[in-house]
């Protein structure tokens, strides 16, 4: 009993001594009162905690140096230190070392100065060797004790205190050299011990054939008492992986290694085993989990989603078309209601008319005369009379006096009474399927005379035609009587004729176009005018400048110097000021093939008609054009492309014309609209154009050798000779009379236009001796126009033609011109090219005052329209998208399988392949957004549609691919490659990468032709990746790499993966990032740079789109 009590007192006394030691200032310098003298095992736990706390407190010593030297690879010093040296709960290796060293472990631990000496060896210039340190106080050429060998260490000399925090002075440590303790490593060249980091396995080495713990170092020769030591080196995994916990095992402490159990996996350097996901296979001692099942599930989910989108797209479009059909019915219903309101308005007007009759008789003669006279620019649309054909034979330059003919009294007598209209509308509402039809047509009230007698079966098209006409009347009447004043009542009572569209009359005098840099005349001395309500045909042989003439009228002539006058409605104004009410139909059928006929026309109407025009009215406009062009049967059919058959060529040509008709132009210019059409299709198209002319539209078109029936349907003719000289400009009815007057008669059974063009080509020589060179001069002399000086010799030949001289052998004014040298010709060609490009750019940025009085939808509303159109097109091109996704799946599977994540490089190789593959495939796909629709954009932008809305709509729809394509690729790559970084981090980086390369592809697609654009899209990611992965020794290469998006994408991938490596991987991480020039803090910066690159590329692409247009 007494002995037991004495033992308790002794233990209490010892605890009091330990507490006193801990509270004393000299606790950090252990002296002879520690375990080395007492040998009491009860002190081991306390001494272990003291020593461990002393090691932990070294963080404050190393923090400034770590931040300064390793800030690029360490974010949080305390967190990284804990992740590397936090042995809390696993201090057994420290206790064992205290026992083996008999308590003098603190005399053998490395101080801060010795640790700096070791770790600074990694930052030395030139080739580093971590197995050998530079000479120091303890290990040098004159002093090399056993502790200097790898795996061994010594204690400090007698009577020398050790301060672990001392980072300046190394203590003399050459006594009692022993093998390194387990859990520590002793580098070659210093005589102290450093704790092994977490994730390492540092046992004592044993020399036997079956051991797995034999380090690479060899025992020093000639020292038989020098046994195997402990670990000798902690470096990056590429230099030495000896202390790393092997794959398939985990090391909870630095002295214990356990094989991974089934259902778990253990990567290299693991401190614990990780449970495998469900549906994965993990055998015992496996280093990674097989998560291919998740990739297959994600592929199945994506495939199902894409198949649903692909299969349901047709249903969505069908539902949309059904809703549009309902909107058309609503428009017809609205038209009927408007017609009824119009009848009530007529009744009220009749009352006002009766009350105003007495006041009207008291008005002065002057007021009545003013009321009866039209303004020069006004034009009666409904029931108008065509201008006289004699007006087409212009004097040198007459004034523009376009007046409307008076209405015949018979026309007013045959107007429908309001009661009849009301009865008809009521019968339509009561029985929509009745046989009571409409005999009304837009624009010509006398058309009933030419219609067959009997009941007409009414159709929806007829209803829309009538409703359209009534709405046009209603809108014009409301505009006319907006302010109901005294004079307004009189006007309303006396005049019911209205004007629905503004008129445009274009007159030109001595219009000459000269090619810049070449001084070549494309068109010379063309004088005349094209008038509203008339259809003008422009004919001539090839090279006569017909298309150039139309381009000059439409303000689209670029690369030329234009002289002469062009008057619009008698005023010197730019024709571009009326761009919103001018339609230009190009020679090529530029129509969206993956849209239906109605969708093409509807889109053009939405974007180009007035913004304040109600939706039902726009629907009626489209319906009227469809009916007029005879496209009812194919309204819901795709137009078709070269690869996919659609409507016929004639129908496609009519859709091409209809795109301009739906915007209700005042001037309609057509470039060879009948080319490639048969006679019946040409007549159908021309009838539609004549119908537009009846509404006051000024129509001018180029025609190639029309049939006689088609030729007689034109009102005026402009006949041009080679060189752009006018041969005839006037009424079609008087063209044969004019040519007969100069001795050219049309033989029997010969089409007049064919005969005239054959003469101008020089294929036929008239019997009168007149040659094709004389014809332009004869026209000038006939109208009194001045003859150019270089053509006066032809006038002299005409004067002497009666003497039988050969006119074709006249003097060539250029015969004496001297030829330029090759250098001169080259300089002229270069000058011409530069001036042409400059003229194109100036034309694209040319701004003019808008005089059309039409406010079209703004950018936001057009963006909405474009967005709907592009989305519809992408749904119909779903097969192409499916092929893109399939290629990405295959690329992800191949690269994920072949380029496994290497712990040494943190997956840099696989990510390099990923950057190249994703950049290449996404660029090729993004090229289709713009390269295939350049002609469509040029036409739409020339008509006044918003370029910004077009570009943003394309980019917005492509954001779907920006989100889906990374998901498709990662569904294979990530689950086959299985990197340590999270799926989310990889997905975010890929989103930014796809966004970046898509913008670059836009610039290529817009600025380059398709073939060079594809070549650049393939070469650029490969070249930039090679630059980004080069050694950064050269400053030029380093700065050049910083400009490559591939460098930032690769850095973001590597950083997100390297951040998951800690503990024993710390040196490997810092070494790899330092070698690559990456910074762990730059992950967000990498993403921002890729996004900025994508935005900047889009700005460049948009600038190129609006600047480098081909007109």
């Amino acid at each position: 009993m007494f002995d037991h009590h004495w033992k308790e007192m002794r233990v209490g006394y010892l605890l009091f001594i330990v507490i006193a030691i801990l509270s004393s200032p000299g606790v950090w310098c252990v002296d002879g009162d520690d375990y080395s003298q007492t040998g009491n095992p009860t002190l081991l736990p306390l001494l272990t905690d003291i020593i461990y706390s002393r090691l932990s407190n070294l963080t404050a010593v190393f923090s400034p140096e770590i931040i300064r030297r390793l800030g690029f690879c360490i974010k949080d010093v305390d967190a990284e230190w804990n992740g590397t040296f936090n042995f809390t709960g696993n201090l057994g290796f420290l206790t064992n070392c205290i026992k083996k060293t008999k308590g003098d472990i603190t005399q053998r631990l490395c101080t801060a100065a010795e640790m700096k000496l070791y770790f600074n060896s990694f930052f030395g210039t030139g080739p580093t060797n971590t197995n050998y340190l530079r000479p120091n106080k303890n290990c040098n050429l004159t002093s090399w004790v056993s502790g200097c060998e790898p795996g061994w260490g010594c204690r400090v000399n007698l009577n020398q205190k050790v301060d672990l925090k001392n980072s300046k002075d190394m203590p003399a440590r050459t006594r009692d050299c022993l093998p390194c303790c387990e859990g520590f490593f002793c580098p070659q060249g210093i005589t102290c011990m450093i704790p092994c980091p977490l994730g390492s396995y540092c046992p004592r080495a044993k020399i036997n054939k079956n051991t797995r713990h034999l380090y690479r170092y060899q025992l020093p020769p000639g020292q038989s008492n020098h046994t195997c030591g402990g670990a000798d080196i902690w470096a990056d995994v590429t230099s030495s992986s000896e202390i790393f916990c092997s794959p398939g095992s985990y090391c909870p402490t630095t002295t214990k290694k356990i094989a991974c159990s089934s259902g778990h996996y253990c990567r290299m350097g693991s401190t614990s085993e990780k449970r495998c996901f469900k549906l994965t296979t993990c055998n015992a001692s496996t280093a990674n989990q097989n998560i291919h099942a998740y990739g297959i599930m994600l592929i199945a989910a994506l495939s199902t989603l894409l198949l649903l989108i692909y299969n349901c797209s047709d249903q969505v479009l069908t539902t949309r078309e059904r809703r549009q059909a309902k909107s058309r019915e609503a428009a017809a219903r609205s038209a009927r209601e408007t017609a009824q309101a119009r009848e009530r308005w007529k009744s009220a007007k009749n009352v006002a008319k009766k009350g105003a009759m007495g006041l009207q008789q008291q008005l002065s003669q002057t007021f009545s005369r003013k009321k009866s006279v039209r303004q020069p620019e006004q034009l009666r649309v409904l029931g108008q009379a065509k201008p006289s054909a004699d007006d087409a034979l212009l004097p040198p330059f007459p004034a523009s006096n376009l007046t409307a003919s008076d209405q015949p009294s018979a026309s007013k007598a045959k107007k429908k009474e309001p009661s009849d209209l009301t009865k008809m509308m009521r019968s339509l509402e009561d029985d929509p399927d009745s046989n009571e039809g409409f005999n009304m047509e837009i624009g010509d009230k006398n058309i009933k005379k030419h219609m067959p007698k009997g009941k007409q079966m009414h159709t929806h098209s007829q209803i829309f035609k009538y409703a359209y006409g009534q709405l046009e009347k209603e809108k014009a009447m409301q505009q006319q009587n907006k302010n109901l004043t005294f004079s307004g009542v009189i006007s309303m009572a006396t005049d019911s004729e209205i004007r629905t569209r503004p008129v445009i009359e274009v007159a030109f005098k001595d219009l000459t176009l000269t090619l810049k840099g070449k001084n070549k005349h494309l068109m010379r001395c063309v004088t005349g005018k094209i008038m509203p309500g008339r259809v003008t045909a422009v004919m001539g042989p090839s090279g006569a400048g017909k298309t150039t003439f139309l381009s000059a009228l439409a303000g689209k002539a670029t690369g030329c110097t234009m002289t002469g006058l062009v008057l619009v409605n008698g005023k010197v104004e730019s024709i571009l000021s009326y761009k919103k009410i001018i339609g230009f139909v190009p020679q090529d059928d530029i129509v969206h093939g993956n849209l239906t006929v109605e969708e093409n026309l509807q889109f053009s109407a939405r974007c180009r008609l007035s913004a304040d025009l109600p939706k039902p009215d726009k629907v009626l406009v489209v319906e009227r054009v469809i009916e007029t062009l005879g496209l009812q049967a194919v309204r819901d059919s795709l137009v078709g492309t070269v690869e996919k058959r659609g409507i016929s060529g004639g129908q496609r040509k009519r859709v091409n014309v209809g795109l301009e008709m739906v915007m209700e132009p005042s001037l309609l210019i057509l470039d060879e609209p009948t080319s490639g059409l048969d006679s019946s299709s040409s007549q159908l198209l021309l009838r539609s154009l004549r119908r537009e002319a009846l509404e006051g539209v000024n129509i001018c078109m180029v025609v190639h050798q029309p049939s006689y029936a088609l030729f007689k349907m034109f009102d005026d003719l402009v006949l041009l000779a080679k060189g752009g000289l006018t041969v005839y400009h006037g009424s079609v009815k008087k063209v044969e009379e004019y040519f007969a007057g100069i001795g050219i008669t049309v033989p029997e059974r010969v089409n007049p236009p064919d005969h005239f063009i054959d003469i101008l080509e020089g294929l036929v020589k008239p019997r009168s001796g007149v040659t094709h060179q004389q014809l332009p001069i004869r026209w000038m002399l006939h109208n009194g126009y001045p003859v150019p000086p270089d053509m006066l010799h032809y006038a002299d030949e005409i004067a002497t033609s009666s003497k039988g001289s050969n006119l074709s052998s006249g003097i060539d004014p250029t015969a004496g011109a001297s030829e330029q040298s090759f250098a001169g010709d080259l300089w002229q060609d270069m000058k011409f090219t530069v001036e042409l490009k400059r003229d194109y750019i100036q034309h694209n940025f040319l701004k003019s005052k808008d005089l059309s009085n039409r406010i079209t939808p703004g950018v936001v509303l057009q963006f909405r329209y474009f967005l709907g159109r592009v989305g519809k097109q992408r749904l119909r091109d779903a097969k192409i998208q499916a092929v893109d996704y399939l290629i990405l799946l295959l690329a992800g599977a191949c690269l994920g399988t072949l380029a496994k994540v290497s712990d040494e490089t943190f997956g840099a190789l696989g990510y390099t392949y990923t950057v190249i593959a994703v950049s290449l495939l996404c660029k090729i796909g993004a090229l289709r957004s713009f390269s295939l629709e350049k002609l469509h954009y040029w036409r739409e932008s020339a008509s006044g549609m918003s370029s910004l809305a077009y570009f943003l709509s394309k980019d917005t729809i492509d954001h779907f691919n920006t989100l889906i394509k990374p998901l498709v690729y990662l569904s294979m790559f990530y689950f086959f490659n299985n990197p340590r970084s999270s799926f989310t981090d990889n997905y975010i980086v890929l989103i930014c990468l796809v966004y970046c390369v898509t913008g670059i592809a836009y610039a290529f697609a817009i600025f380059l032709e398709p073939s060079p654009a594809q070549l650049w899209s393939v070469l650029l990611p490969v070249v930039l990746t090679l630059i980004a992965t080069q050694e950064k020794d050269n400053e030029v290469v380093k700065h050049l790499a910083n400009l490559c998006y591939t460098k930032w994408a690769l850095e973001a991938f590597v950083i997100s993966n390297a951040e998951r490596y800690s503990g024993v991987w710390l040196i490997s991480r810092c070494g790899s990032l330092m070698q690559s020039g990456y910074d762990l803090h730059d992950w967000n910066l990498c993403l921002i740079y890729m996004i900025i690159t994508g935005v900047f590329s889009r700005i460049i692409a948009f600038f190129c789109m609006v600047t480098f247009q081909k007109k």
Side-chain angles (χ1 to χ4, degrees), residues 378-389 391 402-408 411 443-446 497 531-534 690 693-696 715:
Q378 287 182 333
L379 180 70
R380 294 181 185 270
V381 175
L382 300 179
Q384 73 172 41
K386 292 183 180 180
S388 173
D391 295 338
L402 181 64
T403 59
S405 302
D406 296 333
Q407 288 290 329
S411 174
D444 191 359
K445 292 186 176 181
N446 298 323
E497 300 302 324
M531 296 173 289
R534 298 179 71 85
R690 287 194 61 81
L694 291 176
E695 298 189 18
D715 296 317

Side-chain angles (χ1 to χ4, degrees), residues 493-512:
T494 58
D495 186 13
S496 62
E497 300 302 324
I498 56 176
R499 183 182 66 187
T500 58
R501 300 186 192 180
V503 297
I504 293 180
E505 178 189 271
V506 182
F508 37 91
K509 180 180 180 182
D510 291 335
L511 188 60
T512 301

Side-chain angles (χ1 to χ4, degrees), residues 337-353 418 422 473-474 476-484 488-489 492-493 495:
E337 295 173 355
T338 305
Q340 291 177 347
R342 182 79 175 95
E343 291 305 311
R344 291 192 294 269
W345 175 254
K346 282 185 177 181
S347 300
K349 189 183 72 172
N350 289 335
V351 176
K353 181 177 180 181
T422 304
K473 288 183 181 180
E474 181 69 20
M477 187 62 70
Q478 290 176 357
Q479 183 67 26
Q480 182 180 359
N481 303 300
K482 185 179 293 185
N483 297 321
L484 192 60
V489 173
M492 181 176 59
D495 186 13

Side-chain angles (χ1 to χ4, degrees), residues 35 93 157 266 325 354 576 654 668 696 944 1095:
Y35 180 80
F93 76 99
N157 297 335
C266 302
K354 293 178 181 179
L576 297 177
R654 278 177 272 162
L668 183 59
V1095 173

Side-chain angles (χ1 to χ4, degrees), residues 387-394 534 731 734:
S388 173
D390 296 336
D391 295 338
L393 297 176
L394 299 174
R534 298 179 71 85
S731 174
K734 296 187 177 182

Side-chain angles (χ1 to χ4, degrees), residues 27-73:
V27 69
W28 305 116
C29 299
V30 179
D31 53 17
D33 295 330
D34 60 3
Y35 180 80
S36 61
Q37 293 185 1
T38 63
N40 193 339
T42 57
L43 293 177
L44 280 178
L46 294 176
L47 291 176
T48 301
D49 291 337
I50 293 173
I51 296 172
Y52 176 65
S53 64
R54 185 183 304 180
L55 291 174
S56 300
N57 290 332
L58 289 177
T59 310
V61 178
F62 291 114
S63 289
E65 189 71 15
I66 291 175
I67 294 174
R68 184 178 68 87
R69 302 293 296 271
L70 302 175
F72 65 92
C73 63

Side-chain angles (χ1 to χ4, degrees), residues 1042-1082:
N1042 290 332
L1043 299 177
C1044 301
Y1045 73 90
T1046 53
K1047 182 257 184 185
W1048 299 99
L1050 185 59
E1051 181 175 356
F1053 278 123
V1054 173
I1055 286 175
S1056 62
N1057 198 36
E1059 197 173 8
R1060 308 285 173 161
Y1061 289 79
S1062 60
V1064 70
W1065 291 101
L1066 188 60
I1067 292 181
S1068 299
R1069 180 216 290 176
C1070 292
S1072 179
L1073 294 180
M1074 181 175 64
Q1075 184 179 6
S1076 301
Y1078 298 158
D1079 193 328
L1080 208 61
H1081 301 82
D1082 289 347

